[in-house]
Amino acid sequence: GLVLASDIGARNGHGSDPTLEVIETPAGSYVNVDTNTQAGLERSIELKLLESGLVDVVSSNIPISALKLFEFSPQYRGKMFVLLRDPVERAASQFFELQKHDKHYARMSIESYASSRKDQVDFNYMIKTLVDKPGLTTGSITENDLNTAKEILRRKAVVGLLSDKGDTVLRFERYFGWTYDTAEDKTCSEKLLHWEWKNKGEDNGPIPEDSKIYQDLAAKNAFDVELYAYAVNLFKDQGAVLRDEDVVVN
């Protein structure tokens, strides 16, 4: 199966191991690095993650910063893919996660969360991530940021949708040439792709689009809602283009 670099392999103290190794977990196989932090990326560069030959896929929630891996190893060329989730579903799921771990949110209803005037760090998360401006407030996001994020998706990424996992995984497999020796390997690889979303808020059920909660969360994530709509259309367009086996993303 695929070996992933994210943050999972660095848990339980492995983030300070002196050498690289593959850690086997219930979620699959991970290299002992953390590609979700600046310090973790620096360590990955120092230990020559790409040159090690241990990793098949690098996952990062700071993808622009993760490009440094390739700057220090120019002989390797990365191909970007993204797995996107409906921003309203994501915002609701994030709230239910906060309820589990934060006493402040444990006493709050999702109705209050959605209608609150407080800007949340995770609101418009996709656009902040793609333009590498995690500290932006919603009020400081510009149309230029939105257009930049759209261009990154259009020019650089193979787009996948969490709402269409089946077709998404098939596209990734075909585009990247992922193959599996056994059915168990394939199952492990699918776990790698979906692990970060597994069991996060899903038990609470979908929020009706005509509800006030949905409309409030959509308004607070308006930039991501527009970006996601663009990505959905891009997903459809790429579905036709990627049938050409010779196509590549520049």
Side-chain angles (χ1 to χ4, degrees), residues 1 4 10 42 50 57 68 86 88 101-103 116-118 126 152 161 166 172 190 192 217 221 224 227 243:
L4 187 70
E42 293 298 332
L50 299 189
V57 178
K68 289 188 293 186
D86 179 285
V88 174
H101 308 292
D102 189 314
K103 292 181 179 179
S116 171
R117 292 183 178 181
K118 182 180 179 181
M126 287 193 296
I152 290 172
L161 302 178
F172 291 167
E190 289 174 350
L192 288 177
L217 288 176
N221 291 274
D224 266 8
L227 181 62
R243 281 192 284 269

Side-chain angles (χ1 to χ4, degrees), residues 12-231:
N12 301 316
H14 289 295
S16 57
D17 290 344
T19 59
L20 296 177
E21 61 180 291
V22 176
I23 306 297
E24 299 297 337
T25 78
S29 303
Y30 292 84
V31 181
N32 57 336
V33 294
D34 183 354
T35 52
N36 285 338
T37 66
Q38 298 291 346
L41 287 171
E42 293 298 332
R43 176 172 172 269
S44 300
I45 292 169
E46 290 174 7
L47 294 178
K48 301 184 183 301
L49 174 63
L50 299 189
E51 290 95 324
S52 73
L54 293 177
V55 64
D56 298 304
V57 178
V58 176
S59 172
S60 180
N61 58 17
I62 45 174
I64 306 304
S65 295
L67 290 174
K68 289 188 293 186
L69 290 169
F70 298 93
E71 292 175 3
F72 284 89
S73 301
Q75 68 272 36
Y76 296 97
R77 184 181 181 188
K79 298 179 180 179
M80 181 180 181
F81 68 96
V82 295
L83 185 57
L84 304 179
R85 186 177 189 180
D86 179 285
V88 174
E89 289 182 6
R90 187 188 185 283
S93 179
Q94 179 65 18
F95 167 74
F96 292 124
E97 278 297 298
L98 288 171
Q99 276 195 318
K100 297 175 185 177
H101 308 292
D102 189 314
K103 292 181 179 179
H104 172 71
Y105 293 100
R107 298 189 295 269
M108 182 184 293
S109 68
I110 190 171
E111 289 85 358
S112 297
Y113 178 78
S115 61
S116 171
R117 292 183 178 181
K118 182 180 179 181
D119 187 36
Q120 299 290 337
V121 173
D122 277 334
F123 285 171
N124 296 292
Y125 176 82
M126 287 193 296
I127 190 169
K128 292 176 185 177
T129 300
L130 286 171
V131 300
D132 200 28
K133 297 179 180 179
L136 280 182
T137 61
T138 295
S140 62
I141 297 173
T142 67
E143 285 294 322
N144 185 61
D145 292 325
L146 176 60
N147 291 332
T148 298
K150 287 180 177 179
E151 276 297 284
I152 290 172
L153 290 181
R154 184 182 70 84
R155 297 180 54 208
K156 299 295 185 181
V158 180
V159 174
L161 302 178
L162 195 65
S163 61
D164 196 345
K165 291 180 183 177
D167 194 16
T168 292
V169 171
L170 287 174
R171 290 187 191 188
F172 291 167
E173 288 172 349
R174 183 158 184 245
Y175 183 80
F176 293 105
W178 294 341
T179 58
Y180 312 99
D181 296 328
T182 66
E184 183 179 359
D185 284 344
K186 180 175 174 62
T187 299
C188 287
S189 296
E190 289 174 350
K191 284 183 179 179
L192 288 177
L193 291 174
H194 306 325
W195 186 256
E196 295 300 326
W197 291 269
K198 187 176 176 63
N199 297 326
K200 290 193 175 181
E202 294 178 358
D203 293 337
N204 296 282
I207 297 175
E209 291 189 17
D210 60 352
S211 68
K212 186 176 186 301
I213 295 172
Y214 189 99
Q215 298 302 323
D216 285 344
L217 288 176
K220 287 179 169 55
N221 291 274
F223 285 101
D224 266 8
V225 167
E226 182 173 341
L227 181 62
Y228 184 74
Y230 179 83

